[in-house]
């Protein structure tokens, strides 16, 4: 058995683990990185990257079939499903070198391609190597949650870890789960020529503002996606090419392929947490505000920490713990400024409080300002007028923003910046946006906040009247 010592040991080479490894090594720490599966983790290989690549295929096909509105003849927009998967693989391959073992070894990091498990509070075994570390970071991410639905164990199904390897186009894709993954894949596949039925046990896109989510859902329905809500899957039966899902209320849905997209579970099974005195939580590993586990020498970041499961959160967590581990400075993770986006068309994004959450927390102090895409000149020129922005404001400061529409995932960045820095609406109003841009929607939202104060105020009118009478 080989034994080594290091300053920082990182278990998992996904987004969070790679960010910690690169930062710590380049700032002078001795780093060991463990990865038993693929470098880049879920995001590169099975999640964010391949899903957005497949969404791009669907968007291209849809664009060909709906180009007449721009004066260009509509085309068939036929999709070669296998070629689309080649496109996905090529996108992954182009990004993979950034997350590769060779690149991180170039930083001076000792990369060991084995899974790690704790054998003491300071030691982890990976294959035939035992690593003793001053600080340990668990960044093992999450995997698709596959609930124990009767019959599922005898029926072929896909998850996000297998879907992008599927080469045969599904005739009729059944998707269990109406969250972001389910809805993104539903739209991508309907646009690629599949029939699609989404089976959701509660409400589709239920974590987002319901008014804005409904705009997305209506769009998907218009494109042909069947969305069945309050349809809790009770039994699954059939064989490859002929699958049935029966809901608790007796509804039966038939299709050729099944995609499970009901959520994620933290990857802790291989870690033997008990050996290190690390307490689990219901959703992963129990951590404090500084992302430390019950073992003070061990941190948990990203999906495995049991909070918001987004790649950008894992990257944010990496910055939080580097401050603590390398410099001994106090550092806490917060969530109020963390945005998220669903990459359907139209896109759906959120940061901070939704309207319902803000009403519950702030009551009468809350003001909600709205601006619709159909008043934005660039959106009109692009024929992308479906959508709106809502900004929740308390005492002149935004506490949340919800956007549905073209480039909503880009527009939310400004509001994430505003919440992270506790900016005022007046500071955002001072920004000059180039014309004509979709980004003007953010500027116009601040206008919707200040307009009543300027144009409907008797005091303002009296002051203007006085100045105009007496100004030399």
């Amino acid at each position: 058995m080989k034994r080594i010592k290091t300053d920082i040991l990182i278990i998992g080479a996904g987004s969070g683990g790679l960010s910690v490894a690169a930062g710590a090594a380049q700032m002078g720490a001795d780093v060991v990185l463990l990865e038993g599966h693929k470098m880049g983790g879920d995001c590169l290989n099975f999640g964010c990257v391949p899903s957005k690549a497949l969404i791009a295929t669907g968007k291209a096909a849809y664009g060909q079939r709906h180009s007449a509105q721009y004066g260009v003849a509509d085309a068939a927009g036929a999709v070669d499903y296998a070629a689309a998967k080649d496109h996905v693989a090529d996108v992954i391959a182009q990004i993979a070198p950034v997350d590769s073992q060779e690149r991180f070894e170039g930083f001076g990091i000792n990369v060991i391609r084995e899974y790690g498990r704790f054998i003491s509070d300071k030691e982890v075994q990976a294959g035939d190597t035992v690593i003793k570390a001053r600080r340990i970071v668990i960044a093992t991410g999450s995997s698709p949650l596959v609930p124990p639905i009767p019959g599922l164990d005898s029926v072929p199904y896909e998850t996000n870890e297998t879907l992008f390897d599927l080469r045969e186009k599904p005739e009729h894709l059944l998707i269990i789960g109406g969250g972001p993954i389910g809805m993104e894949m539903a739209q991508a596949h309907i646009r690629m020529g599949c029939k699609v039925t989404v089976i959701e046990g509660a409400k589709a896109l239920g974590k987002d503002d319901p008014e804005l989510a409904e705009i997305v859902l209506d769009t998907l329905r218009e494109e042909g996606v069947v969305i069945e809500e309050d349809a809790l899957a009770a039994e699954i039966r059939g064989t490859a090419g002929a699958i049935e899902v029966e809901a608790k209320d007796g509804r039966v849905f038939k299709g050729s392929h099944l995609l499970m997209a009901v959520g994620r579970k933290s990857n802790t099974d291989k870690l033997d947490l008990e050996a290190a005195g690390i307490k689990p939580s219901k959703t992963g590993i129990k951590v404090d505000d500084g992302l430390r586990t019950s073992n003070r020498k061990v941190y948990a970041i990203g999906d495995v920490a049991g909070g918001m499961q987004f790649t950008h959160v894992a990257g944010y967590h990496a910055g939080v713990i580097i401050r603590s581990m390398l410099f001994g400075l106090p550092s806490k993770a917060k969530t109020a400024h963390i945005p998220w986006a669903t990459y359907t068309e139209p896109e759906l994004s959120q940061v901070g409080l939704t309207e319902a959450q803000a009403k519950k927390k702030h009551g009468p102090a809350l003001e909600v300002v709205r601006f619709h895409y159909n008043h934005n000149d660039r959106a009109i020129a692009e024929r992308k007028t479906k959508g709106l922005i809502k900004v929740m404001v308390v005492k002149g400061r935004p506490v949340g923003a919800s956007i549905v529409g073209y480039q909503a995932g880009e527009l939310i960045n400004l509001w994430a910046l505003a919440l992270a820095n506790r900016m005022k609406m007046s500071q955002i109003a001072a920004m000059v946006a180039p014309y004509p841009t979709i980004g003007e929607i953010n500027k116009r939202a601040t206008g919707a906040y200040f307009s009543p104060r300027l144009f409907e105020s008797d005091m303002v009118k009296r002051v203007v009247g006085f100045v105009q009478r007496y100004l030399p």
Side-chain angles (χ1 to χ4, degrees):
M1 189 68 69
K2 181 181 178 182
R3 293 183 176 271
I4 59 177
K5 293 183 179 181
T6 189
D7 294 328
I8 297 173
L9 169 63
I10 302 159
I11 308 174
S15 174
L18 293 178
S19 296
V20 174
Q26 290 179 91
M27 285 188 274
D30 185 49
V31 178
V32 174
L33 174 64
L34 307 181
E35 178 51 65
H37 194 24
K38 292 187 176 184
M39 296 290 289
D42 184 83
C43 180
L44 172 63
N45 298 289
F46 314 114
C48 317
V49 170
S51 65
K52 302 313 164 283
L54 201 64
I55 286 168
T57 295
K59 189 175 292 186
Y62 183 85
Q64 287 191 17
R65 294 193 294 266
H66 296 82
S67 58
Q69 61 184 330
Y70 303 106
V72 180
D74 289 343
V79 175
D80 181 332
Y81 195 76
K85 293 303 180 69
D86 290 339
H87 154 66
V88 170
D90 182 64
V91 170
I92 294 172
Q94 287 189 50
I95 298 173
V98 178
D99 293 348
S100 67
Q101 179 174 342
E102 293 74 18
R103 179 170 183 257
F104 281 80
E105 287 175 339
F107 292 138
I109 297 166
N110 183 358
V111 180
I112 300 174
R113 300 303 295 274
E114 299 280 357
Y115 291 107
R117 67 177 182 88
F118 286 95
I119 56 174
S120 74
D121 61 343
K122 295 180 180 177
E123 294 175 305
V124 171
Q125 183 173 340
D128 60 358
T129 304
V130 172
I131 307 103
K132 184 175 183 180
R134 295 182 64 251
R135 298 287 186 275
I136 299 173
V137 180
I138 302 172
T140 48
S142 64
S143 301
L145 173 65
V146 181
I149 302 171
L152 182 59
D153 57 352
S154 61
V155 173
Y157 64 88
E158 309 294 334
T159 68
N160 72 294
E161 292 187 350
T162 62
L163 178 65
F164 301 108
D165 291 327
L166 184 67
R167 306 286 295 179
E168 176 190 351
K169 185 172 77 173
E171 179 185 343
H172 189 160
L173 180 64
L174 302 176
I175 302 175
I176 296 182
I181 295 173
M183 303 319 296
E184 288 178 357
M185 291 299 95
Q187 189 176 43
H189 280 81
I190 200 78
R191 290 178 164 189
M192 288 191 290
C194 308
K195 294 179 181 178
V196 180
T197 300
V198 177
I199 305 160
E200 166 57 44
K203 298 298 180 186
L205 298 175
K207 293 185 178 179
D208 285 278
D209 180 293
E211 179 189 7
L212 275 59
E214 197 59 31
I215 294 172
V216 175
L217 299 177
D218 284 346
T219 301
L220 266 64
R221 292 185 183 105
E222 290 169 5
E223 292 187 22
V225 178
V226 176
I227 302 171
E228 298 285 353
E229 297 181 301
D230 299 313
L232 188 64
E235 184 182 352
I236 300 173
R237 53 185 176 262
T239 57
I243 296 172
E244 294 185 358
V245 177
E246 183 172 343
K248 193 174 182 180
D249 61 7
R251 281 178 284 173
V252 176
F253 312 104
K254 299 180 180 181
S256 62
H257 292 71
L258 175 62
L259 171 63
M260 298 299 298
V262 296
R264 312 279 300 172
K265 62 180 180 65
S266 298
N267 293 331
T268 60
D269 293 347
K270 293 182 173 67
L271 292 171
D272 197 0
L273 298 175
E274 189 176 351
I278 297 171
K279 294 180 180 178
S281 68
K282 291 182 179 180
T283 54
I285 295 174
K286 187 176 181 180
V287 295
D288 63 14
D289 290 344
L291 300 170
R292 291 177 188 261
T293 70
S294 51
N295 178 339
R296 301 292 291 171
K297 303 293 185 182
V298 180
Y299 297 79
I301 65 172
D303 288 6
V304 79
M308 302 170 80
Q309 294 184 325
F310 303 113
T311 296
H312 49 281
V313 171
Y316 165 63
H317 282 176
V320 170
I321 68 167
I322 282 177
R323 177 182 172 90
S324 173
M325 288 194 306
L326 298 188
F327 301 104
L329 299 172
S331 187
K332 293 183 178 180
K334 302 175 183 178
T335 58
H337 64 302
I338 302 293
W340 69 84
T342 300
Y343 298 95
T344 48
E345 190 173 18
E347 293 181 355
L348 180 62
S349 64
Q350 176 70 41
V351 67
L353 302 176
T354 63
E355 181 178 3
Q357 291 167 339
K359 281 181 178 177
K360 184 176 180 180
K361 182 173 182 178
H362 296 287
L366 174 69
E367 295 180 71
V368 180
V369 295
R370 304 160 65 95
F371 184 79
H372 287 262
Y373 272 63
N374 60 7
H375 298 303
N376 175 269
D377 292 355
R378 183 63 181 274
I380 294 170
E382 298 275 353
R383 303 287 191 189
K384 304 290 186 182
T385 55
K386 182 184 293 185
L388 74 147
I389 179 173
K390 288 201 280 190
V391 183
M392 281 51 74
V393 186
V394 176
K395 297 179 180 178
R397 295 183 192 274
V399 296
S402 308
I403 311 174
V404 62
Y406 182 55
Q407 295 188 0
E410 308 296 332
L411 294 177
I412 204 68
N413 286 316
L414 176 64
W415 300 103
L417 173 69
L419 266 63
N421 293 280
R422 299 195 72 249
M423 294 171 66
K424 297 179 179 179
M425 292 293 281
S426 58
Q427 292 172 289
I428 300 167
M431 174 191 75
V432 178
Y435 174 88
T437 58
I438 298 296
E440 285 185 287
I441 288 170
N442 285 331
K443 171 82 171 180
R444 294 291 296 274
T446 64
Y449 176 72
F450 285 110
S451 289
R453 290 162 169 78
L454 294 174
F455 305 139
E456 299 174 17
S457 167
D458 291 337
M459 176 62 74
V460 170
K461 291 176 181 178
R462 286 197 296 270
V463 170
V464 170
F466 178 83
V467 171
Q468 295 307 306
R469 283 195 301 271
Y470 297 105
L471 186 67

